[in-house]
Amino acid sequence: MTETPEKIAGVEVGERRITIPGFTEEGENLAAETNIAADHTHGGLGESKEITSGAGSRANRHTGFNLAEFPDPTGREEEWRFTPLKKLAGVLSDTPTEGAGTDREPVDYQVSGTVEGVVVSTLRHGESPRGDVLQPADRAAVVGYKNVDEALHIKVTQNTEVAEPIRVDITGKAAGARANGHIVIESEPNSKAVVVLEHRGSADFNGNVEVKAADGASVSVISLQRWENDAVHVGQHDAEVGRDATYKHVAVTLGGHTVRLNTNFRYAAEGARAEMYGLYFADAGQHIEHRTFVDHNTPRNSSDVLYKGALQGETARSVWVGDVLIRKEAEGTDSYEKNQNLVLTDGARADSVPNLEIETGLIEGAGHASSTGRFDDNHLFYLMSRGIPEDIARQLVVRGFMNEIVQKIEVPSIRESLADDLERELRISGH
Amino acid sequence: MSTLEIKDLHVSIETDQGTKHILKGVSLTISSGEIHAIMGPNGSGKSTLASTIAGHPRYEVTKGEILLDGEDVLEMGPDERAQAGLFLAMQYPVEVPGVTMTNFLRTAKTAIDGEAPKLRTWTKEVKQAMEKLRIDADFANRNVNEGFSGGEKKRVEILQLELFKPKFAILDETDSGLDIDALRVVSEGVNRAHEDNDMGTLLITHYTRILNYIKPSFVHVFVDGRVAEQGGPELADELEANGYDRFLATAAAGV
Ligand SMILES: Nc1ncnc2c1ncn2[C@@H]1O[C@H](COP(=O)(O)OP(=O)(O)OP(=O)(O)O)[C@@H](O)[C@H]1O
Ligand SMILES: [Mg+2]
């Protein structure tokens, strides 16, 4: 499929490059015949808004630590308009963790894989670097921030390269019980680490994560949402990426009743590469929402965002809103974002909204794309008429579609377990 | 030596306007190594016959049978039919999102043979078959039929035919949309499958041109959901010269 280049602020944008060799055009044409998503997703190319100033610009989104400045959302706000607020009541209130400070807290944290050069401690309010990177951008983030006394602090010291992933197992033990969490990941200059945050079990979980990737550091954060199906999870994951640093955030959301993750990054200097990848599978009754924001606030950095989701079952719902802001000073920026959804059954709905704002013409490139395609009976018949049994046909389609993201995960055991997860997801929702 | 027997086949579909009877008693027998051509006006039910043999769930068989070496094909799902040795090259091959050709071909071959092909020889076999059909190597990395041109889709159907080695192939207007060179290349592919595997073929077409390459021993004129006349290759030439008027008049009178 060829997509005609668009111009935003005089700069050519649009389909421009594909990131992985061997996966050229994967899923590119998904929207060709059927497009069930709402009006803001069309064809292979998503909506783009030409906003350079004004209240709609991401540059003007309010952030801060003062709860009074974040009233209860009504659902009409831009950042809440797709979210089922009722289901989030348990995580939006200004409430401490149940049984805080006792051993009855509903969420348990286990840190493992820390080797020499990795320091694990806690940070109270006001203790740097807590709050240096996180910029709460909605009520969920600010109440979460406020209600954690001691944040988990993982520091990878200068020049330390950690071969095996550092794991944080975050396990919910009481469905419906409120828990607030805060993790600060600090990568000192020229350090290298992969941090896996694995969410399991059930709780009403409000968890913020902030990541400081210092100059020359390389950090991957893999956030796995493998919740039970009655869990609720909101969270803001912010990163600041230093000079010549590499940052990668991968969000994998399979479980949970309602999950809403805001993942963001900005830069501290020049020469950095930052990426956000996401994979989600929404079943009947699930609401899975990912919002990404790339803030090109300094010159000569690159970014790549790719989120892929499959939906199966009545009322399965996914939302992706991808904001990219290339500020006036961010000359030489190279940026791309894309979201693709695969709708496996009737009744599921995927919303996909890429927003690209460009305030300078002096950039390397900026592109965005969005598509929502359907897997239907004709696809199934075609595969079956070639001898492929129905269950394998579905697996083939979903795995093939998701593979591009799975490959981004540098931990082999996670890649393998994801294959099993996807198989199970397909079975759960039945057909 | 295999036989595919279609006996007094009646097929209907449910539409918003109610039940529509499309096939009204089709009988046909094909044996290994035989080539049968089916020609008939638009809407006469040729693709319906093809899809019904392949097991498309949309088409309901209300009467009659399909037997492959005496086995009841109608009892089988579409995947089982393919595993039993039937292959349909579709008039409109379907674009399948998310699945690369490489992955698709290997999975299908595994399902049909009941075991995974040896990786090294398989990769070579696929590559050679693609070369013979003049399909560019990078198609292997693309999603099944996605964004392929009409002619490219048809070539890829024949690629599958050659790789899967069915006992019987139904080619539904495989020649439509092919340029002159592609028509030759594709016909050669069908003839190879024919010779190598003693394949029986049911070739649905509107044009006699392909019959210069793929030579049928039987021609069936398909009108209004049944076979109106059978003959040898000369029947195709007569149709080319005179059209279907003679048969349409009979069909209308028969109502
Ligand atoms: N899925 C369907 N829904 C509605 N009508 C159908 C469907 N499939 C077939 N028909 C109708 O049945 C009749 C036979 O269609 P079919 O596609 O079998 O014809 P054909 O002989 O292959 O025609 P052509 O030469 O144009 O390919 C047509 O009137 C067609 O409109
Ligand atoms: Mg037809």
Side-chain angles (χ1 to χ4, degrees), chain A residues 1 22-30 32-33 342 373-379 381-390 392-393 396-402, chain B residues 51 54-57 78-79 82-83 86-90 93-100 103-104 107-108 111-112 141-147 156-157 160 164:
Chain A
M1 180 165 76
F23 278 83
T24 21
E25 308 213 38
E26 154 134 340
E28 227 29 36
N29 264 339
L30 285 178
E33 53 226 287
L342 179 64
R374 280 186 58 94
F375 181 68
D376 65 21
D377 289 349
N378 287 318
H379 299 131
F381 175 64
Y382 188 81
L383 296 175
M384 289 182 75
S385 77
R386 271 51 176 151
I388 303 172
E390 179 170 349
I392 295 179
L396 187 66
V397 168
V398 173
R399 270 207 223 167
F401 177 72
M402 296 294 201
Chain B
S51 297
H56 196 293
D79 49 336
Q83 290 159 16
L86 298 179
F87 181 85
L88 168 60
M90 296 189 191
V94 181
E95 302 193 0
V96 186
V99 184
T100 60
N103 205 355
F104 163 68
T107 308
I112 289 166
N141 296 323
R142 293 176 62 176
N143 286 336
V144 176
N145 291 322
E146 205 168 76
V156 164
E157 294 289 281
Q160 295 171 48
F164 301 159

Side-chain angles (χ1 to χ4, degrees), chain A residues 88-102:
Chain A
L88 290 189
V91 286
L92 287 176
S93 60
D94 181 16
T95 311
T97 298
E98 269 190 43
T102 71

Side-chain angles (χ1 to χ4, degrees), chain B residues 116-128 163:
Chain B
K118 291 224 169 48
L119 201 58
R120 187 153 329 127
T121 46
W122 173 246
T123 309
K124 207 164 125 202
E125 201 179 326
V126 172
K127 206 170 151 243
Q128 284 171 350
L163 293 171

Side-chain angles (χ1 to χ4, degrees), chain A residues 363-374:
Chain A
I363 58 170
E364 289 287 309
H368 66 151
S370 154
S371 67
T372 297
R374 280 186 58 94

Side-chain angles (χ1 to χ4, degrees), chain A residues 99-152:
Chain A
T102 71
D103 56 7
R104 297 188 314 279
E105 288 196 16
V107 167
D108 174 62
Y109 299 82
Q110 293 293 335
V111 184
S112 57
T114 54
V115 291
E116 210 187 312
V118 178
V119 183
V120 180
S121 62
T122 56
L123 297 170
R124 306 188 66 83
H125 279 284
E127 276 185 282
S128 183
R130 180 175 178 179
D132 288 356
V133 172
L134 189 79
Q135 297 178 342
D138 64 22
R139 186 176 170 89
V142 81
V143 296
Y145 185 85
K146 183 168 173 262
N147 286 293
V148 174
D149 287 336
E150 297 200 326
L152 176 65

